[in-house]
Amino acid sequence: MNHSTLKPSATLAQSAQIIGLHADYAATYETLTYPNFWPVLHSMAENPSVVAVGAEVEGVPVGLAIACLDRSDDSVNREDDQPLQGQVLSLFVTPEHRNRGLGRLLLTHLETQLCDRGCQQLEIRYLSSPQSPALEQILVQQQWFAPQVTALVCYASTDRVRQAPPPHLVDYLGRWLDRLPAHYQFFLWTELTPAERTDLEQRMQGDGLMQRFNPFLDADRLEPLNSLGLRCDNRIIGWVITHRIAADTIRYTQMYVDPASQPLSRSTLLLAKAIQLQVEQLPHTKGTFRVDIDNAPMVRFVHRRLKPYLDEVRTAYCAIKILQ
Ligand SMILES: CC(C)(COP(=O)(O)OP(=O)(O)OC[C@H]1O[C@@H](n2cnc3c(N)ncnc32)[C@H](O)[C@@H]1OP(=O)(O)O)[C@@H](O)C(=O)NCCC(=O)NCCS
């Protein structure tokens, strides 16, 4: 076993150890994080930006913390004033070993290792869950800044949408579609012409809002069924772009309508139309979307209109700690 053992806390069972993980041992901790972080663990040998710390009880892995350093800039020859940042990607303790101080120890040792590598600021992003109070308690104890709300993350299912009580999305859609002036036209995003794409890419260069809601990201997973565009007088003025993130789940990733062509109803109309297509053509599937908290009209729309169709709304938080 190729790992270094750090001093365990006196409050833990004697057999508990906190371990700085090395690449050849990290894979045994896979089950303690999400599959999307497995490649990160596997990359430790060739990627010095990744730091992982494990907790073992009687030789069995029971906790894992993973972080990465932001080395997008050359950290050795840095000339700007930006602090070298780290991000906690994953922090997990198996349920039967919680509330014994392991989570706090994992985070503390992660911080120490990151400090040793020159990290000046650490960030953690998480979604509200029944475990959030435990995490937040650790953050308070470890002198992190108070977590800030960054977004709402919404989860829905086609079954739930079908069962929702009136006034129903479909009625809403019908009412607003009737009022949509004739020079507006919905189309499937897959039918965007090369000339329209070129035009959009040019317009995006000088438009921060369009860049924020870039419709061309993650194109490999674009969902053809209900990614939609909106034309006005043959000019693209809006879109809702969806991605298939699992066999049964569509993520509603980007939604944009040119502010000059809004009311908000046009963008929500796009969304409602996309939802309707999923409900009709992909029964018993799920949907998810994220609304940044600074997008006040959409946040209000979620609370006032979309709640009946949602199985769950979780809050996304970000907390930071200055390390040195
Ligand atoms: C968050 C997590 C890692 C904490 O691990 P842990 O080993 O239980 O943490 P610790 O025992 O070190 O500390 C937990 C603290 O929260 C407190 N706590 C637990 N439940 C609480 C609650 N409902 N309300 C307030 N405090 C609570 C504990 O008493 C303890 O504080 P104390 O040391 O002052 O007694 C663990 O719950 C977990 O794996 N959750 C699932 C994954 C997750 O949410 N990860 C974070 C996002 S990446």
Side-chain angles (χ1 to χ4, degrees), residues 246-300:
D248 66 346
T249 308
I250 289 180
R251 183 183 67 203
Y252 291 70
T253 313
Q254 301 289 40
M255 192 173 84
Y256 168 85
V257 171
D258 181 349
S261 305
Q262 296 250 21
L264 179 68
S265 56
R266 303 244 159 89
S267 45
T268 53
L269 200 52
L270 268 167
L271 180 65
K273 182 83 185 156
I275 293 171
Q276 189 190 39
L277 284 167
Q278 181 179 350
V279 169
E280 285 173 356
Q281 296 186 37
L282 287 179
H284 313 304
T285 56
K286 294 180 276 188
T288 177
F289 63 94
R290 175 190 169 97
V291 180
D292 288 337
I293 210 70
D294 61 358
N295 189 348
M298 262 314 282
V299 168
R300 266 199 307 278

Side-chain angles (χ1 to χ4, degrees), residues 88-94 97-105 124-126 129-135 137-138 141:
V88 180
L89 301 176
S90 180
L91 174 66
F92 180 83
V93 173
T94 53
H97 291 95
R98 287 180 188 161
N99 296 322
R100 297 170 59 204
L102 280 176
R104 184 164 37 85
L105 273 179
I124 186 165
R125 290 177 178 272
Y126 62 96
S129 78
Q131 281 78 48
S132 302
L135 174 68
Q137 175 75 359
I138 298 172
Q141 287 169 347

Side-chain angles (χ1 to χ4, degrees), residues 167-230:
H168 202 276
L169 187 81
V170 176
D171 303 333
Y172 166 84
L173 186 60
R175 202 166 61 240
W176 281 100
L177 273 176
D178 289 346
R179 295 186 205 168
L180 194 68
H183 53 291
Y184 285 88
Q185 179 207 6
F186 284 112
F187 66 98
L188 287 173
W189 194 249
T190 48
E191 292 167 5
L192 185 80
T193 67
E196 284 174 325
R197 185 186 170 114
T198 307
D199 176 54
L200 264 186
E201 284 171 340
Q202 280 169 0
R203 282 162 55 198
M204 274 172 60
Q205 281 173 17
D207 188 322
L209 199 60
M210 282 172 87
Q211 284 167 21
R212 176 173 172 183
F213 298 106
N214 186 340
F216 301 119
L217 297 178
D218 211 2
D220 292 349
R221 289 194 290 177
L222 181 95
E223 174 55 55
L225 173 77
N226 64 349
S227 289
L228 303 173
L230 180 62

